[in-house]
Amino acid sequence: MDSNSSFIPVASTFTSPFEGSPRPEDPARKPLSLWPGMYHSPVTNALWEARSRIFERMLDPNVDAPPQSQLLTRTPSQSRTSILYNFSTDYVLREQYRDPWNEVRIGKLLEDLDALAGTISVKHCSDEDSMTRPLLLVTAAVDKMVLKKPISVDVDLKMVGAVIWVGRSSIEIQLEVTQPTNECSDASEPIALTANFIFVARDSKTGKAAPVNRLTPETEQEKLLCEEAEARHELRKRKRGNYRKEIENGEVNRLEALLAEGRIFCDMPALADRDTILLRDTRLEHSLICQPQQRNIHGRIFGGFLMHRAFELAFSTAYAFAGMMPCFLEVDHVDFLRPVDVGDFLRFKSCILYTEFETTDRPLINVEVVAHVTRPELRSSEVSNKFYFTFTVRPEAKATKNGFRIRKVVPATEEEARRILERMDLESLQVAKNMKK
C-alpha cells in the first residue's frame, strides 16, 4: 500500500453511559461488558440515562448481599414512566424509525415497548437500598398487543406505562402509545397501540422465584385494570391445565376434518382445492448468531430484539403468502420459555397458521414464529420463544389487484392440526371476552 495514502479516522457514534468517568485509567470506570443497551434504539439509551442510578446496582450485583427483607407497597403512579418521540422536529430520529410507507417501524417499536416495560418493572421492584442484592427481572410473556390505528412517523408520539397488577413474583405492565391527529386536541389524543407485558422476578444468587413489592391501586381506573389483569392471570392458569383435556374429549371431529383436507394434498395433490395450501408450504426461516451488542443488563439477549426479529420474519411470511403488502394488526400472547444467551445459534421458523375470511374487506392472516436455540455441538435444539402475529392486507394494495383471494391453510400432520385449533380457540375466547366488555 502506498505509504502516502490517507486514512479516514473512524470513531464511535455512541455516547458512553458513564460520561462522568470516561478515562480508561479511572478506577471507577465500568468495563465495556457492563454497558447495556448502547446498540439498541434511541429509546433504550434514553431510558438508561433516566434510570442509571437504579441500574448501576444491577450491572454488577453483590450476590452475597442479603435479599430485600421487607416488601414495600407501591402505587401505579410510582412506576408510571412516559416517553416522547419528537418526530416533528428531530429529523434524524424520524429517519431511524421510518418504514417504506412513512409509518413507524413496528419492529423497532417492539424493542422500545420491552425496554420501557423493563424500566417500569425495575422502578416498582427496587427497594432503593444499596446494601441488598437486586432482583433479576426478565420478560416472561407479552399478553396482548393491539395496533388500533396506523402510526405516522411525521407526528410526535407518546408512550406511557405503569404496573397494573402484581402476583407473588410476577408483574403485569400496561403500555399505551398515543399520537395526536388533526381532528383531536392534545387533551384527547387517540390510543394508537396497547400492550401488556408480564415480567417475573428471580433471586440474583439462587435463580429462584423471588417476591416483589405489593401494589395498591388508587383510582377507579387503576382498580379496574388490576381486576382485569387478575382475571387474565386466572384464565391463563386454567388454560394451561385444561386445554389438552378439552382437545382429547371434545375436539376429535374438528381435528379429523382439518386433517382430511390436508390428506388430499398429500395423497392426491392434483385433485386438491386450488384455493387451499398446506401449512408446511408457507414456511420461512431465518438464522443468526446472538451477538454481545444485543444483550440486556443481565448479559442475556434483549427480549425486544427477539420480538423485533420475529416480527420482521412474520411480516415477510405474510407478504410472501398474500402476494401483497400486509398490514400489522396485533401480537397475540408471546411466551418467553427460556433465556437466550450471547453466542447462541438462534433459528426463527415461521408459517401461516390459519386464515380468516369473515369479512372480505379485512381478511386475517395469522402467523406463528417459533425461535429455537440450536447447539450443533450437542446435537440439541430447544424452543426459546413462541410468537403469534395477526396481519391483514393494505386496502390500497388490495384495490389494485383484481380477483384478490387469500388461500385457506390446512395441516398435513396431527401436530399441525392441534396447533391450529389451539390458536383458533384461544382467539375465540379473547373475542368473546372483548364482546362482553
Side-chain angles (χ1 to χ4, degrees), residues 139-144 243-244 303 306-307 310-311 314 331-340 346-350 353 367-373 382-389 415 418-420 422-423 426:
T139 312
V142 178
D143 192 63
K144 195 76 170 179
Y243 182 75
R244 185 60 62 183
L306 299 174
M307 286 195 291
F311 172 83
V331 180
D332 202 351
H333 192 83
V334 175
D335 288 311
F336 290 79
L337 303 174
R338 57 147 291 171
V340 181
L346 196 62
R347 302 176 71 185
F348 290 93
K349 299 180 181 181
S350 69
L353 206 54
V367 184
E368 176 189 67
V369 180
V370 182
H372 300 256
V373 172
E382 294 181 86
V383 174
S384 63
N385 306 82
K386 290 184 178 181
F387 306 86
Y388 298 93
F389 301 90
E415 185 271 336
R418 287 182 182 276
R419 280 159 51 200
I420 292 171
E422 180 178 0
R423 295 314 307 172
L426 292 177

Side-chain angles (χ1 to χ4, degrees), residues 76-83 116-117 120 123 159-164 173-177 195:
S77 62
Q78 288 177 288
S79 66
R80 186 167 288 112
T81 307
S82 303
I83 291 173
L116 178 56
I120 291 168
K123 288 176 70 173
M159 186 187 295
V160 62
V163 175
I164 61 168
I173 296 145
Q174 186 173 81
L175 306 172
E176 291 183 345
V177 177

Side-chain angles (χ1 to χ4, degrees), residues 165-350:
W165 175 86
V166 168
R168 181 185 178 275
S169 60
S170 56
I171 306 163
E172 183 164 339
I173 296 145
Q174 186 173 81
L175 306 172
E176 291 183 345
V177 177
T178 62
Q179 189 172 56
T181 62
N182 295 331
E183 294 79 24
C184 74
S185 64
D186 290 342
S188 59
E189 292 176 0
I191 296 174
L193 182 146
T194 61
N196 288 62
F197 281 73
I198 298 167
F199 277 67
V200 294
R202 296 286 182 264
D203 187 288
S204 56
K205 182 176 183 179
T206 66
K208 296 180 179 179
V212 296
N213 290 331
R214 306 296 90 199
L215 182 72
T216 301
E218 294 179 301
T219 68
E220 290 303 316
Q221 176 65 14
E222 289 171 352
K223 292 174 184 177
L224 177 62
L225 290 173
C226 188
E227 291 170 2
E228 292 176 348
E230 178 67 30
R232 287 193 295 272
H233 177 71
E234 291 300 321
L235 181 62
R236 284 193 296 270
K237 288 200 297 187
R238 289 199 302 272
K239 284 191 295 192
R240 282 196 294 266
N242 296 336
Y243 182 75
R244 185 60 62 183
K245 294 178 183 177
E246 291 173 6
I247 280 286
E248 292 171 355
N249 297 335
E251 299 296 324
V252 175
N253 291 339
R254 293 174 65 202
L255 200 67
E256 284 300 319
L258 271 177
L259 285 170
E261 294 185 73
R263 289 193 193 102
I264 297 173
F265 261 98
C266 296
D267 300 337
M268 297 169 284
L271 302 178
D273 186 350
R274 294 300 96 188
D275 292 330
T276 304
I277 188 171
L278 285 176
L279 181 150
R280 68 189 183 198
D281 292 332
T282 68
R283 291 172 177 163
L284 290 180
E285 184 172 337
H286 173 65
S287 301
L288 59 94
I289 301 297
C290 298
Q291 303 295 337
Q293 294 81 6
Q294 298 148 4
R295 70 196 185 282
N296 61 20
I297 62 168
H298 306 306
R300 295 274 173 68
I301 297 303
F302 177 42
F305 169 81
L306 299 174
M307 286 195 291
H308 188 168
R309 287 303 181 97
F311 172 83
E312 296 198 338
L313 179 60
F315 186 95
S316 301
T317 305
Y319 192 4
F321 173 77
M324 60 182 64
M325 204 62 66
C327 179
F328 169 71
L329 294 178
E330 67 179 45
V331 180
D332 202 351
H333 192 83
V334 175
D335 288 311
F336 290 79
L337 303 174
R338 57 147 291 171
V340 181
D341 293 317
V342 172
D344 278 350
F345 174 24
L346 196 62
R347 302 176 71 185
F348 290 93
K349 299 180 181 181
S350 69

Side-chain angles (χ1 to χ4, degrees), residues 4 47-48 52 67 82 88 110 120 128 140 148 174 184 193 220 230 248 252 316 326 344 360 365 378 417 424:
N4 295 323
L47 286 169
W48 166 261
S52 59
S82 303
S88 62
L110 293 180
I120 291 168
E128 299 180 358
K148 297 180 178 292
Q174 186 173 81
C184 74
L193 182 146
E220 290 303 316
E230 178 67 30
E248 292 171 355
V252 175
S316 301
D344 278 350
T360 54
I365 304 168
L378 301 178
M424 292 176 72

